[in-house]
Amino acid sequence: MIYTFWVCPVVAAVVLYIYRAGYIRSGRRAKQSLLKADASTYDFLPRANRWPLGIDLLVLTVKALDESHLMEFFLDNFRKLGNTFQQAIGPNTSILTIEPANVEAILLSNAKDWGLGFRRTIFFPLLGDGIFLQEGDAWKHSRDILRPHFYHRHYEDLDIYRPHVKSLLEVISTDAIATGVVDLQPLFFRLTLDVTTEFLFGESVLSQRPVSDVISHDFEEAFDTAQSISTKRSRFQKLYWLVDGKGLRKACKIVHEFADGVINRTLTSSANDVNDSNKLPFLSTIAQFYPDRDALRGQAINILTAGRDSTATFLSWTFFHLVRYPLVMEKLRSEVSQVDETVAPLTRADLLRLTYLQNVMREVLRLHPPVPLISRTALRDTTIPTGGGPDGKSPILVPQGMSVLYSAYCIQRRTDIYGMDAEMFRPERWDEEPLRSRDQTHRGWTFLPFGGGPRACLGMDFSLTEGAYAIVRILQRFPSIKLPADEPVYVTGRERQAVTISLNPADGCRVDLGKE
Ligand code: HEM
């Protein structure tokens, strides 16, 4: 088992040392703060681990990861322990919650008390200094600079997606020639890479090309490796440095060299095209704010990561569900047959009018949010509003330095919020009360695939438009798409899942294109 070294004695000794030091410090601080705050201490929260240092929890977590059932494991813990509990693994004690009120406080009303914690240290070698890892004024500056590039008028006509979705349809047809069965997942990753690079650099890397561009494929491989090592590191928190620093450095070097090459090309061709500043690509416009090349590369890789992975994952889960729910597929197919690109090019507004499609996308994001778990770390002693005390309703004191994790995946499967059929893929639920009447953006902090508050996803509309357009075109081009005969079917949530930077179907998204 690849994670066996986690429990080797040397690691255990280091963990024990740091754990004791950390525990004593945070315990002292918590007691002092309690004098000031009318909140109950986290000590009384149900605990996911029983053994010291959370060795039992560590073993179970590693097993769940190995079996590709990590989110199911989290969900089981919430069902056993309640909506807010604590867990300790090694030196890290954290609180996990699926209370909408706690999420609202952390992301919005009390956001000033919360920071990104270890995210910056762990992901910096790959992502560099970009919006995902910045805080305070640096983050606000980036957000102000990047936000205007995401206005929907830039992609209202869908021109940015059109050629790449066309290439995707061609690749799917070619791949399907032999058996009629295709794994869409890797193809979606290339589609979203091509779209995002076009969006950022004004010129796509065209990774879907049949004669593969070796450099862009090396980049994809290195990008995946760097993300996977960084994600493993994030699970180790303070002990992140134990995980494959050499592999990470090697992969990051390839990613950075690739990004530098594309950035150089973009800036050189923009310099030759100074007359039409409206046509300057995203990157060239932001380059004036980031004369330092490392900073510019950082922003570019941040957007590239966000733009490629989550949208590809979202599309994979969409087809994963559609082929398993033929009635939904049929209803959706009937709706998308109302629009026809050969009559007039589709626009974003046309896609928004396809209401069943919008419901299907919401339902996919509910059951399989690409970012299933998010953490914030207390910048100072603070509280979350509910989950503590004997009745489980009092505020909870969170000492400075402690992390609170919320899981959109687990909140969005709560039966008291979504009904007893919360585990079922049923897009119709979005037309029913009370979901219909919830506010569109955060649905009362119970629908959080794009986060919330001031750091909510900047690319939400861009990715939903890309996803909607790709779904429509695939269904129109391949009207007989279905589940391959030999494909296993599990109850939703029991399928194998891979958790890297985003949540993916671990066995891909195989579909049978049937007779065209
Ligand atoms: C289905 C697709 C997507 C999902 C589910 C998603 C989800 C998220 C989530 C949950 C966050 C908040 C993270 C946090 O609170 O720590 C976020 C932030 C962000 N997303 Fe997305 N995202 C998607 C697509 C995109 C795309 C396509 C782009 C850009 C091309 C993008 C750009 C960003 C940026 C820049 C941030 C950082 C915002 C900040 O820190 O101020 N996202 N995304």
Side-chain angles (χ1 to χ4, degrees):
M1 183 160 80
I2 53 169
Y3 296 101
T4 315
F5 71 96
W6 280 35
V7 282
C8 80
V10 177
V11 176
V14 177
V15 168
L16 182 62
Y17 171 77
I18 301 177
Y19 171 79
R20 283 179 59 79
Y23 185 80
I24 291 164
R25 268 199 310 275
S26 73
R28 235 182 252 144
R29 261 201 314 269
K31 280 206 184 86
Q32 285 160 4
S33 304
L34 256 179
L35 298 173
K36 290 180 244 150
D38 179 23
S40 93
T41 147
Y42 69 86
D43 285 340
F44 298 105
L45 287 175
R47 199 185 288 259
N49 59 300
R50 298 247 162 264
W51 296 7
L53 299 176
I55 301 284
D56 52 344
L57 184 63
L58 182 65
V59 170
L60 291 174
T61 309
V62 169
K63 184 166 174 283
L65 258 171
D66 243 21
E67 292 171 353
S68 306
H69 289 301
L70 187 65
M71 291 318 298
E72 193 185 348
F73 174 67
F74 278 114
L75 197 58
D76 278 352
N77 275 343
F78 280 115
R79 287 183 179 149
K80 278 194 289 234
L81 300 168
N83 290 344
T84 305
F85 65 87
Q86 60 167 312
Q87 67 172 38
I89 293 191
N92 308 304
T93 298
S94 37
I95 295 175
L96 284 89
T97 186
I98 50 170
E99 286 293 357
N102 288 340
V103 181
E104 190 273 346
I106 293 168
L107 297 186
L108 181 67
S109 54
N110 202 18
K112 64 172 185 353
D113 279 0
W114 298 90
L116 301 177
F118 264 81
R119 187 195 285 187
R120 186 171 173 92
T121 314
I122 287 164
F123 284 96
F124 194 87
L126 170 63
L127 298 181
D129 197 17
I131 185 165
F132 269 112
L133 305 185
Q134 290 172 324
E135 309 201 53
D137 289 344
W139 164 76
K140 194 172 176 321
H141 181 62
S142 294
R143 182 112 186 161
D144 290 344
I145 290 169
L146 298 179
R147 194 191 303 109
H149 295 276
F150 287 92
Y151 292 158
H152 61 75
R153 66 181 151 81
H154 297 311
Y155 49 87
E156 189 68 46
D157 57 9
L158 309 184
D159 279 357
I160 190 160
Y161 311 114
R162 197 162 276 113
H164 307 298
V165 171
K166 186 164 175 275
S167 300
L168 171 74
L169 300 179
E170 283 158 15
V171 175
I172 296 176
S173 295
T174 316
D175 283 10
I177 285 173
T179 60
V181 174
V182 181
D183 180 2
L184 293 177
Q185 183 161 260
L187 309 187
F188 287 146
F189 272 78
R190 295 213 166 131
L191 165 75
T192 55
L193 178 65
D194 285 358
V195 170
T196 315
T197 46
E198 167 117 25
F199 175 58
L200 252 178
F201 305 120
E203 188 188 307
S204 172
V205 295
L206 301 175
S207 66
Q208 302 185 93
R209 268 198 301 223
V211 183
S212 69
D213 175 340
V214 179
I215 298 180
S216 91
H217 290 181
D218 278 357
F219 159 76
E220 280 178 82
E221 209 176 292
F223 202 28
D224 290 339
T225 306
Q227 286 189 11
S228 151
I229 299 174
S230 303
T231 309
K232 269 184 210 151
R233 290 184 143 208
S234 69
R235 296 195 189 110
F236 277 71
Q237 297 267 305
K238 290 174 189 157
L239 299 177
Y240 70 91
W241 44 269
L242 286 170
V243 185
D244 200 3
K246 194 169 165 213
L248 182 64
R249 276 191 299 279
K250 194 171 155 212
C252 288
K253 188 164 179 280
I254 297 173
V255 172
H256 292 178
E257 281 173 2
F258 172 82
D260 284 341
V262 188
I263 290 171
N264 285 340
R265 277 204 302 279
T266 307
L267 296 185
T268 313
S269 61
S270 310
N272 299 334
D273 201 12
V274 280
N275 293 335
D276 192 354
S277 60
N278 285 331
K279 288 212 167 139
L280 284 182
F282 183 158
L283 189 98
S284 307
T285 322
I286 64 168
Q288 47 189 300
F289 298 100
Y290 299 106
D292 173 49
R293 179 51 60 90
D294 284 356
L296 184 62
R297 188 209 299 130
Q299 294 294 4
I301 295 179
N302 275 244
I303 304 292
L304 211 53
T305 308
R308 186 189 77 144
D309 290 64
S310 39
T311 313
T313 300
F314 160 57
L315 277 168
S316 300
W317 284 116
T318 303
F319 282 90
F320 182 93
H321 284 296
L322 284 177
V323 293
R324 283 165 176 78
Y325 289 83
L327 292 180
V328 175
M329 172 91 93
E330 215 26 67
K331 199 166 161 184
L332 183 58
R333 206 193 312 278
S334 148
E335 188 185 62
V336 304
S337 68
Q338 295 164 17
V339 291
D340 186 351
E341 280 251 285
T342 58
V343 176
L346 282 177
T347 63
R348 173 177 168 276
D350 295 327
L351 297 171
L352 287 173
R353 278 192 288 275
L354 299 175
T355 51
Y356 193 62
L357 172 63
Q358 298 298 328
N359 283 351
V360 166
M361 294 200 302
R362 273 185 208 116
E363 189 68 346
V364 172
L365 290 166
R366 182 182 71 82
L367 283 170
H368 291 102
V371 189
L373 198 65
I374 287 185
S375 114
R376 291 286 194 270
T377 303
L379 294 172
R380 52 190 74 86
D381 293 344
T382 184
T383 59
I384 48 175
T386 189
D391 60 355
K393 291 189 175 142
S394 307
I396 302 166
L397 182 98
V398 185
Q400 181 188 4
M402 179 177 274
S403 295
V404 175
L405 287 88
Y406 79 87
S407 166
Y409 183 99
C410 300
I411 293 175
Q412 294 169 184
R413 286 170 184 250
R414 274 181 62 166
T415 48
D416 57 335
I417 297 171
Y418 285 94
M420 291 314 289
D421 65 353
E423 294 280 345
M424 279 186 64
F425 180 72
R426 197 172 64 79
E428 287 72 15
R429 77 177 71 245
W430 294 97
D431 281 334
E432 298 161 2
E433 295 294 346
L435 294 189
R436 199 163 62 88
S437 53
R438 293 224 183 106
D439 82 280
Q440 285 296 311
T441 322
H442 304 308
R443 305 224 169 234
W445 298 90
T446 57
F447 183 66
L448 298 152
F450 296 99
R455 294 200 80 128
C457 178
L458 267 179
M460 176 172 91
D461 190 82
F462 183 84
S463 60
L464 291 175
T465 309
E466 178 178 359
Y469 182 62
I471 296 166
V472 168
R473 298 295 292 122
I474 293 171
L475 289 183
Q476 290 179 333
R477 174 74 178 77
F478 304 106
S480 310
I481 195 166
K482 61 177 191 284
L483 188 72
D486 59 346
E487 194 66 6
V489 178
Y490 300 99
V491 173
T492 308
R494 289 284 301 141
E495 71 283 335
R496 285 171 16 93
Q497 304 172 347
V499 188
T500 56
I501 262 182
S502 54
L503 178 75
N504 296 286
D507 300 312
C509 173
R510 291 176 73 241
V511 297
D512 183 339
L513 297 174
K515 282 206 183 92
E516 283 183 41

